[in-house]
Each structure stands twice: as C-alpha cells, then as structure tokens.
Amino acid sequence: MSEPISHQDAAEPVDGLRRVIAAVASGQIELEPDDLHAVSRLAPDSAGLVSAQLAQLESMSRFALLEQLQRIGSEFGGYDFTVVFAAMITDDDAAVRSLAVNGLAICETGGATKALLAVANSEEEDSDVRREAVTALGEVAMRLELGWASGEDADDVVDCLHTIAEDVREDDELRASAVSAVGVVTADWVPELIEEAFQSDTAALHLGAVQAMGRSADVYWLPVLEGALVAEDEDERLAAVQAIGEIGSEDGAPMLLELFDDPSSSEELIQGAVAALGEIGSEEAIEELQQLRTHPDPTVRATVQTALEEAASLDDLQDLGAARDPFGWRNE
C-alpha cells in the first residue's frame, strides 16, 4: 500500500505538476489548490521538464489544462503560471500555442515578456499566433508606459513592435496589430508611423492606425477620428468610436452624439458610442446617457447603465486623486 502524500510533498512544484497532469488525464474538473500553488512556483529553467511532462497528455487535454490555468490566473491572485505557458509556446498544436500566448499575456512577468517576444519574432510561427503575441506585447507596452512594469525589456518590446509594423514582408494583419499595439508608445516616430498606416491602401493597416490613435490617448487625432465616424466601412466607424472613448476628451462627446441622429448608425455603433460616452464622462456625455436610460432597446439600456457606472468610477478616481494631493501640485 502506497504512503499517503504529505502536505510538504504536495507543495513540491514538480510533484504538483505531475498531480495536475494526472488529474486532467483522468477527467477531473477541479484541481487542488495546493497543486496549483506548487505549479505556480516551478523554476524558470524547468521549461524542458514541463514540456516533457505535458507531452503525456493528448492535445485536447493540454488545451483544456492551459484553458483552466488561464482562467484561474485571471480570476485569482497568488498564481503565476509563466513557466507552464512559456513551455507550451513550442507545442505541436497551433491552438495550444495560441492559448499559451493568451496565458502569457496575463502573467505580467519578465519571463512572460521574453516568451512573447520569442513568438512575435519567430518567422516560422503561424501568423495568427504571432498576431496574438504582438497584441499581448501591446499590453506590455501599455504597462511600461504607465510605469506598472519593469523597464528591463522595454527597448526590446518597442523595437519588436516597430520592426514588425514597418516590415513590408510581413503579413498585413500582423503589421496592423503591431501598429495598433505601438500606439501607446511615447516616441517621436510613432505619430508618423500611425499617419503612414492610416494613409495606406491596405484596409488592415488603415484600421490598425485608427486603433492606434485611440491607444495613444492623444487629442491630436480627434479631427481624423471625426472623419472616420462617417466612413463607409463599419469596422472603421466602430474602431473610431472606441478610439474617441479611449482618448477620453470631452471634445469627443459632440462627435459621438451626432451618431444618434444618423440613420446609418447601426445598433452596434450606437452601443459603442454609449460605452465611449461613459469613458469620456463629461457633463454633456452624462446628460445624454441619462436621457438614453429609457431607450426602447434593452441592450442599449444595459450598455447605458454600464457606461454610467464607468463614468461614476472615473469621478471617484479623480476625487481620490485630488484628496491625495495635499500640496495642490495639480493646480500649478
């Protein structure tokens, strides 16, 4: 008869990984918290071992495991599955690799950034997987700009996105994702890159430029986005609405309000405009949202409620920021 597993043994990272793999292979739905915490402490240099262990699972089971780890990592604090996700970016199954990239996107660690760079820079990788890695690196760039992440890999992240965006040999969709992602970067060459992409005859690059304008949060782009609101392409109009909301300037509110009187505005466009007004949160935007609370479409009413809550949250954050500024530096 085998000896019962002690709590100390259960905390060993590799043993925890083996138990998780065994549980998934047997069809077990809920994984043990002790084993999950053990897996989250796997050593960074154990990627080869992790890959070998996960190779025991069928492709669908590997996918299911990564999907569950991603959900747990998103919903609960205290877990870091960087090592497992990084080990899976070389999996034989593109769907598994794609999910591994999505998992790395939520890890917010230096190891995750390096793994994402490896995928984005791999010319042998599937373009869809690379595009997801580029999108994830855009979020890394955002955190770097906001000072929420270590700047150790900042140059590598920006150089990667810049290179892909300008490389005409790359897939248009991939380049467009890089243009959109790099919009958050504060550098002299970024506005020119966005402008060139916007003027491109390639639809994907044009759309990526509109998205980049929003991610830049720069009011400079509002006149361009106002023109995009009446474009023939519905995707461009939707992207422009979202971009105006991301910029968050009260000057964008009147542009969005015109959409409510435009008979060509789709239901999706109206819902996007409602959400964008909530992001702007100006007095004019709030008044319009209040009037829309009785809209006949229940989906629009639900979006309005969410937008009003978003606006209230922004006010609370601004009030909190002012309360924490006893020296009045914001008024200088």
Side-chain angles (χ1 to χ4, degrees):
M1 182 176 178
S2 60
E3 291 292 327
I5 299 172
S6 70
H7 182 77
Q8 183 176 0
D9 289 336
E12 290 297 322
V14 176
D15 288 340
L17 175 64
R18 292 188 180 118
R19 278 187 290 275
V20 164
I21 290 172
V24 172
S26 68
Q28 183 175 324
I29 297 176
E30 295 296 330
L31 302 177
E32 294 295 331
D34 282 350
D35 291 336
L36 290 170
H37 278 292
V39 170
S40 73
R41 298 198 310 277
L42 284 162
D45 60 358
S46 61
L49 183 150
V50 173
S51 297
Q53 291 291 320
L54 290 175
Q56 301 173 38
L57 294 172
E58 296 292 332
S59 177
M60 289 183 61
S61 295
R62 297 197 300 277
F63 186 92
L65 173 57
L66 293 190
E67 195 171 44
Q68 188 165 175
L69 293 182
Q70 183 180 351
R71 178 184 60 79
I72 292 169
S74 298
E75 295 179 358
F76 304 101
Y79 294 107
D80 174 19
F81 301 124
T82 297
V83 175
V84 177
F85 291 131
M88 289 285 87
I89 61 174
T90 58
D91 194 87
D92 293 336
D93 190 327
V96 173
R97 297 198 302 274
S98 180
L99 195 57
V101 167
N102 290 333
L104 289 167
I106 65 172
C107 289
E108 300 186 13
T109 62
T113 300
K114 287 181 171 58
L116 289 170
L117 284 167
V119 175
N121 286 319
S122 174
E123 296 181 358
E124 289 75 31
E125 181 55 271
D126 181 86
S127 60
D128 288 339
V129 179
R130 289 183 70 194
R131 189 160 64 247
E132 293 192 20
V134 163
T135 299
L137 287 173
E139 296 310 303
V140 175
M142 175 75 80
R143 294 196 295 270
L144 290 167
E145 284 288 319
L146 295 173
W148 295 350
S150 169
E152 181 179 353
D153 300 309
D155 290 343
D156 291 336
V157 170
V158 174
D159 288 346
C160 172
L161 296 175
H162 190 186
T163 299
I164 292 174
E166 291 198 326
D167 192 343
V168 296
R169 299 168 300 176
E170 294 283 15
D171 175 79
D172 288 338
E173 295 285 351
L174 179 64
R175 292 183 63 200
S177 294
V179 170
S180 174
V182 85
V184 301
V185 176
T186 304
D188 293 341
W189 51 267
V190 172
E192 182 178 351
L193 177 68
I194 295 174
E195 182 65 35
E196 289 178 357
F198 186 74
Q199 297 299 333
S200 171
D201 293 332
T202 304
L205 287 173
H206 185 83
L207 186 61
V210 174
Q211 294 168 344
M213 292 174 192
R215 287 174 61 80
S216 75
D218 191 341
V219 295
Y220 169 82
W221 298 110
L222 282 179
V224 182
L225 292 170
E226 184 175 19
L229 287 177
V230 295
E232 293 183 3
D233 184 74
E234 180 73 1
D235 288 339
E236 181 175 347
R237 297 183 78 185
L238 289 168
V241 165
Q242 183 177 351
I244 292 171
E246 288 176 326
I247 291 173
S249 169
E250 62 182 18
D251 292 337
M255 303 175 187
L256 296 170
L257 294 178
E258 290 183 6
L259 295 174
F260 294 94
D261 297 322
D262 185 346
S264 70
S265 296
S266 65
E267 180 179 332
E268 188 177 4
L269 194 67
I270 292 299
Q271 290 182 27
V274 168
L277 287 170
E279 290 186 80
I280 292 173
S282 67
E283 183 177 347
E284 183 180 14
I286 298 301
E287 289 178 356
E288 183 66 26
L289 289 174
Q290 292 289 1
Q291 294 179 20
L292 287 169
R293 296 180 76 173
T294 57
H295 194 281
D297 189 329
T299 305
V300 172
R301 292 201 302 270
T303 307
V304 167
Q305 183 59 38
T306 301
L308 287 170
E309 291 172 359
E310 172 76 17
S313 297
L314 289 174
D315 283 342
D316 290 343
L317 286 174
Q318 290 170 356
D319 291 343
L320 181 61
R324 290 181 175 178
D325 186 22
F327 300 103
W329 292 326
R330 288 174 177 78
N331 298 320
E332 289 183 356

